[in-house]
Structure formats: structure tokens, C-alpha cells
Amino acid sequence: MEIKYLIIKSVYATLDEAERQLLDAWLQDDGHQAIYDRIAGNLRMEGHAVEDLGAIDVEAALQQVHARVAEAAGEGHGRRPWDRVMRRVAAVAAVAVVMAGSVWWYEDYTRVTPPVLTAEIVDGIRSAARHDRLQPEAEAVQPSAPLTRQEIASYRLSENDAIAEAMLSAKRVKTYIDKEYWVTLPDGTLVHLADNSSLIYPERFDRGDRNVCIEGEGYFMVAHDRSRRFIVHTPHGQVVVHGTEFDVNTRDAQGTSVVLVNGRVGVRTTGGQEQEMVPGQKAAMTSGGVAMQQVDTAPYTAWNTGKVAFRGWPIQRIMPIIAKWYDRRVIYRSEQSEQKTFTGSFDRFDSIESTVEALCAGTGLRIEIEKDQLIVY
């Protein structure tokens, strides 16, 4: 990692032990402590960091370098060892260069890049609205609703925890049993909240970690911000985000499930060590720990677009998507049925009967709907 990021991370107290050792080693060299102190001092000026750094007269700093070169060359006419002269000149030059670039470092490190919705997702949102599946904002969002003591305990927080304090001005999004909602968080992060789910988040994110709490299921498209982690709290543990897309479901049969679609996340149970995931993995968090497995991410992304097209897909890959759309379990009565393929497309807002009928016609299979099951013969 470049030293500029180590300096900024140290100011915001987000260095890990390895990064701390790198920074300590760098600070041992001549002039580096002065560079660090100057940058850190500017960054710590609440509300003035960028303005102060931007006001530095770079030309004057360069002139100072030239003056110090001349002074060093003339002092003692050779009595000063040349390597000490060069170290002194290098230190002054380094200050000028580092300070001239400090604005860029600061702005680049703290830049927030919101996610961009694809055309398919936009179409999916419009389709949900046409089918009256989107909950109105006035019914979904509840401002000024801080965490209750019961919720603090549920998410394994302390009443004195900074996270709980930040939630004193929390907003809530709560969806009905047959509705869903797209919410934009203060940093631009997008969350697709499934039916019968809730999301709690502060009215604004401060300089520290961005913390939210979820119950139910949500698909997260997190705004990129290297200076602040994004942490999703669930009853079974936390998802530590490093800029990514993922699905969280606290009602999975295995506990709380996290499916990583793009980017990087780490998962940890309360009191446990963080385990990093790679795209295409599913982590199941329970009181007993974290279990990882490879999965097909299609069922976890298709519900964002509202439609999915299959071209020669095996039925065993299609059925989990259909099952997720209609909240059913799939049971296969023969191994041969799992090998059947299908080409076509479906809209998840169609009735389950019409979807199953189309699958049967395209595959020759018999699929029966029984309570919470889809049975494939």
C-alpha cells in the first residue's frame, strides 16, 4: 500500500497491525515524521482539511527548496558532509511534493462513488411498480426511530456502543408481506429490500464506519469509499464490506446467509474472526460459526431485474430461481428430471401457475404446486 494511504488511514484510526508496522518503519527515516505531522495536522482540522491543503502555496514551497539547496551548498564551504546536505534537501523537497499532492490524496481516498443501476434493474423496478409490488415511500420509511433495547440485544450491540448511539436518529424501512422497496442510503448505497423485511440506518454517516442493521432479506449495492467501511449487522453476525454487491438473508434455513456477487466482503459471527469471501460464495452464519460453499448467483440477482432469460439451462439451475421468486422449496422425484433443459424467459411477477405451466410445456416435465413446495416429476 502507498504511504499516502497509510498516513490517511492512521489519522482515521483504521490501520491494521501490518499497516502500522509499515508506517512505523517509514517514520524512522530523516524528515518523514515532519511530513507525517504536517499532513495529519491538516487532515484533523474538522471541516477545513481540503480547504487548508488547497491553500498551500506550492511555488513558495519550491522556492524554499531552492533556497535550502543554496544555503546547504554555501554553509561551511564543504565542512558539512554532502550526504547530510542531500538528506536535508531531500526532506524539504519531500515536504513540498507531499503537501502539493495532499489535496488529491485526501479527495481520492475519501471519494464516495455511488453504484449505477443497470438498464435491466431499472426495468425491473418499473415492472415491480406496474404490478403494484413497490411499497410507497410514505408507508415504507419511518424517520426518527432509534434502536430499541430489544433490537440492540438482537444485533449483539451494547447500549453504550457508538453504533447504538449513532442510531438515536435512525431511519427505518419496513416492507409489507407482499411488497418490496428500493432505498438510497445517505452515502448513495442502494438496497433492494425484499418483502416483510426491515432496514435500520442513521440519517447521515459520519467519518467512522457506515453501520446498518437488517432483518429479512436485502440486496446491497454499496457506494465505494476507501476511508470508511460499510458494516451490515444481523442477528447472527456482521458483514464487513469493502465495496461490492451481495445478498443478505437473515431468514435462510441455515441461519443468516450472505451471497457475494461482486467485489469483496468479510463475514464474522459475534466475537469471531472475519473470514473473507470471493464472488460466487455463500456464507451461512449461525451461533456455531460460518460455513462457506460455492453457489450459482443467478437466483440472488434475478429478483433485481424482475426477469430472467434461460438459454439451454438445466432445470436444476432454473428451479432455485423460480423457488426464490415464489418462496417455495423444490423437491425432485427423479434424477432424470434434474437434467432436463429449458430455453425461454420469465417475469417474476407472473403468477406461479402460469410460470409452472410454461416450464412443463417447455421441458415435458410434470411439476406440481403443493403448499410451500414445487415437486418435479
Side-chain angles (χ1 to χ4, degrees), residues 198-271:
S198 66
L199 181 73
I200 306 172
Y201 61 96
E203 291 193 354
R204 72 185 186 92
F205 292 122
D206 294 320
R207 281 190 171 182
D209 293 335
R210 298 168 287 170
N211 293 279
V212 302
C213 301
I214 189 170
E215 177 69 30
E217 183 175 7
Y219 187 91
F220 288 77
M221 301 174 68
V222 178
H224 182 68
D225 182 348
R226 282 184 291 188
S227 68
R228 298 179 298 173
R229 296 182 303 174
F230 190 99
I231 302 178
V232 181
H233 297 265
T234 79
H236 292 102
Q238 298 82 43
V239 185
V240 183
V241 184
H242 307 283
T244 188
E245 290 185 30
F246 58 98
D247 187 90
V248 176
N249 187 355
T250 68
R251 302 191 184 113
D252 190 272
Q254 297 173 293
T256 290
S257 68
V258 180
V259 176
L260 179 58
V261 178
N262 291 310
R264 292 173 52 230
V265 304
V267 293
R268 64 187 182 206
T269 55
T270 304

Side-chain angles (χ1 to χ4, degrees), residues 103-169:
V103 174
W104 182 85
W105 296 348
Y106 181 84
E107 291 183 343
D108 179 64
Y109 189 72
T110 59
R111 180 180 293 115
V112 179
T113 307
V116 178
L117 291 177
T118 64
E120 290 79 9
I121 291 179
V122 171
D123 287 342
I125 295 173
R126 290 171 177 166
S127 180
R130 285 196 303 270
H131 289 84
D132 194 29
R133 290 293 298 272
L134 287 184
Q135 192 160 325
E137 180 178 357
E139 299 177 10
V141 181
Q142 307 167 25
S144 301
L147 286 173
T148 65
R149 288 187 175 182
Q150 182 179 356
E151 289 168 333
I152 290 174
S154 172
Y155 292 114
R156 308 293 199 276
L157 303 175
S158 165
E159 289 190 35
N160 299 321
D161 195 300
I163 301 169
E165 292 179 5
M167 295 295 187
L168 291 176
S169 59

Side-chain angles (χ1 to χ4, degrees), residues 3 7 21-29 32-33 35-36:
I3 192 64
I7 293 174
Q21 291 177 7
L22 286 174
L23 181 60
D24 288 344
W26 181 81
L27 289 172
Q28 299 305 312
D29 290 348
H32 288 180
Q33 185 64 54
I35 296 171
Y36 174 88

Side-chain angles (χ1 to χ4, degrees), residues 312-332:
W313 281 25
I315 197 72
Q316 64 179 353
R317 189 182 180 197
I318 296 173
M319 290 308 296
I321 298 176
I322 304 303
K324 183 173 177 59
W325 283 357
Y326 299 107
D327 193 22
R328 298 292 200 280
R329 292 187 300 114
V330 181
I331 297 176
Y332 297 97

Side-chain angles (χ1 to χ4, degrees), residues 68-69 72-73 80-90:
R68 296 296 284 273
V69 171
R80 179 185 297 274
W82 184 247
D83 63 334
R84 292 180 62 195
V85 173
M86 292 308 296
R87 284 200 301 271
R88 187 176 178 187
V89 170

